[in-house]
Amino acid sequence: LPPMLIDRIHSPADLKALSLEDCDELAREIRDFLVEAVSKTGGHLGSNLGAVELTIALHRVFDSPRDLLIFDTGHQAYVHKILTGRKEAFAELRQKGGLSGYPSRKESPHDLVENSHASTALSYAHGMAAAIALRAGRNAGGSGVLGAAPAAERHVVAVVGDGALTGGMAYEALNNLGHSSTKVLVVLNDNGRSYAPTISKLSGSLTQLRLDPRYVQFRERMRHRLRGLPGPAGSVAYRSIRGLTSAIREVVEPHVFFEALGVRYTGPIDGHDVAALEQALRRAASWEGPIVLHVLTRKGKGYAPAEEDEIACLHDLKAPRVATPATPADEPSSIPPPYKRGESFTDAFTKAILQAAEADERVVAVTAAMPGPTGLLSFEEHFPERFFDVGIAEQHAMTAAAGMALQGLKPVVAIYSTFLARCVDQWNLDVGLHRAPVVVVADRAGITGDNGPSHHGIYDIVQALQVPGCAVFCPSEPAEVAPCLKAALALDAPALVRYPTTPSPGPLFAPGEGLKARLLEEGDGEVVLVGIGKLARACVEAARLLRRDGIFATVVDPRVVRPADDELIELLSAARLVVTAEDGLAHGGAGSYLVSLAERRAGRRPASLVLGVPSTYLAQGRPDDILSELGLDGPGIAASATKAARRSGIGSGAVRHHLAAGGGGGSRRSALARRRQ
């Protein structure tokens, strides 16, 4: 077989000698490579299949890394990684210690920023271009600020795609680019989608022309007359006028919108034609000021399953999961069985919110361009008038939900945990300050794995606890999602319901109810393990391991961190040692909050150990592996609890009877235990 072109590309310089026919062949080879590689490791497939020719053209026209290429969102940079010498690393894409699924400064000088969250590139570009101009002396018309002679021109190019231009931050940057006349080339990679068909898509949302009374009156007169034409001619003519008005919207409105901001607009052009792209890029790069080049691409191009996926075009392809080995027969039967794939937390939420909406017409759903991943597609289908997708605009989503709540609705804002950081101010002041009953549902909470440090959902509990009066629900298994959502919607106050995306275990115990905690394992009351969220199961395993060392721990699933169950706080205040475990930040999280309540109740601080995620940036890897490394699995929690118990003089003597075996109950029996019976 002849050598493949893709194997000859080790840097962008290798692209320069290729003919246009070679570029077309290279594009086909890259698509084949991406499909094969991402099918094995998982990753963002659809967006990269659509950006192949565009990325080839960018690297043929510009000189990276001297010219600065910024990709927004960063998950569309796989082709960029291939063309900058990282093809072989795709075997370890999104694996521990392997290639990042986003631009990574430590991987390559061609990756300038680690922009894994959307709508940031234009702000980066503005700052970089301003610094380049200042250092080159272009702003002052003389030598650079450091006294150096002006250097040869460097281009700043921001590739904005997958709905990133629906984010408010992008519009703030556009406004500043136009006002300052900063030279930045914005390549608008318009595939009409983000994770799903884009809400507030540029070509569909810029309404200056459509709101012009003269245009509206003319359009309606023409439609009325054409509808009245007899026979097929009327139908054809009517469809034609509709096509014409759509074309006007697509071509004229972007021009009007961008140039009103002081940003020149050109396009749209075919984003799968390398020759046309190169010509357009060179012309746009010569413009002295900010300019938008509008490029039309097809997400998932070249791969039939992606092109036929109407919802997400195989946006994020999941890697095949290796089944967890069954517990060997000689293992102690007291250890809970390994995880079994069953209903996911997201699936449970889908059912729960449908039930809530059927029971109460005030329930509405709000999301920020994530209806599919957060489980709201069924809600949209059943209650379209009560479904709101605001695009990549988390700040707006939160404040709009506050407005809905203040007018009597019961909004549920479904969002990834990591994206909550983008709207903490709105959560605090627009929701919390007004005590607006908005229920925030944080999917992908805790350690999420292969998307790396930007996507771990470890901040949501800390953030929620800083919002006065915000209830915090942490369902530990899918069966707990419905009762937690029901209880949250019943409150006349803000609430957070957070859960992970990891494969769900089988049922642990009967679901709880209301705002009450669940007693999972009954011990002698001296040591209490508090398992928050998914770590409740790990605490059950830890307690059963502790029995071997003569420590008979009580295990509690709080379910609701705030307002905490009074009987839970009573149990903690009477214990000699309290160990809490959570898959969120330890500092300022649920464990430290519950321990502080117990201290206030007892008038003393009980010996305590708060286990959780440290304040650091965690690399990509399998969630269970990361939790194990952090000591947040059953054996890790047991080991930490044993050391803490020894320091407190617990469990060092003979093995004592414990309540589950029927001995030693007496007055130490907690209200939770009595309630369980």
Side-chain angles (χ1 to χ4, degrees), residues 14-93:
D14 296 327
L15 294 169
K16 310 290 185 181
L18 298 183
S19 67
L20 289 174
E21 291 76 14
D22 288 339
C23 290
D24 291 339
E25 174 60 28
L26 177 62
R28 286 191 289 272
E29 292 179 6
I30 289 175
R31 285 194 171 92
D32 290 343
F33 173 81
L34 284 173
V35 170
E36 182 179 1
V38 176
S39 295
K40 294 176 181 176
T41 63
H44 293 88
L45 182 60
S47 51
N48 286 285
L49 292 175
V52 177
E53 290 86 359
L54 173 58
T55 310
I56 291 172
L58 284 165
H59 277 296
R60 279 167 58 88
V61 171
F62 299 103
D63 182 20
S64 174
R66 175 178 174 75
D67 290 328
L68 310 182
L69 302 183
I70 310 167
F71 291 84
D72 185 358
T73 59
H75 62 233
Q76 63 174 329
Y78 288 14
V79 185
H80 164 76
K81 293 192 176 213
I82 293 171
L83 300 179
T84 52
R86 286 170 276 177
K87 170 178 169 286
E88 302 305 321
F90 270 76
E92 299 296 323
L93 175 66

Side-chain angles (χ1 to χ4, degrees), residues 592-676:
S592 58
Y593 175 75
L594 292 173
V595 168
S596 70
L597 295 181
E599 177 183 9
R600 195 177 309 164
R601 169 69 63 87
R604 61 174 179 83
R605 185 173 183 84
S608 62
L609 178 62
V610 175
L611 302 176
V613 179
S615 297
T616 188
Y617 296 109
L618 298 172
Q620 64 199 34
R622 291 182 64 252
D624 287 349
D625 292 343
I626 296 174
L627 289 171
S628 178
E629 291 169 2
L630 295 174
L632 294 176
D633 59 356
I637 294 170
S640 297
T642 298
K643 292 178 182 178
R646 295 288 185 260
R647 289 194 297 268
S648 299
I650 301 172
S652 56
V655 175
R656 295 181 300 274
H657 295 291
H658 61 290
L659 295 176
S667 61
R668 295 183 62 84
R669 179 154 247 193
S670 70
L672 271 176
R674 294 192 296 271
R675 189 175 75 204
R676 187 185 192 190

Side-chain angles (χ1 to χ4, degrees), residues 54 58 62 67-74 76 112-113 115 119-129 155-162 164-165 170 173-174 177 182-190 258 263 281 284-285 289-295:
L54 173 58
L58 284 165
F62 299 103
D67 290 328
L68 310 182
L69 302 183
I70 310 167
F71 291 84
D72 185 358
T73 59
Q76 63 174 329
L112 303 177
V113 293
N115 52 329
S119 311
T120 62
L122 296 184
S123 297
Y124 280 125
H126 182 201
M128 291 177 178
H155 297 282
V156 178
V157 183
V159 184
V160 181
D162 261 19
L165 205 58
L174 275 173
L177 284 170
T182 304
K183 184 171 182 178
V184 169
L185 169 55
V186 180
V187 178
L188 174 55
N189 178 17
D190 182 1
F258 285 112
V263 179
L281 287 168
I291 183 170
V292 167
L293 174 60
H294 190 174
V295 175

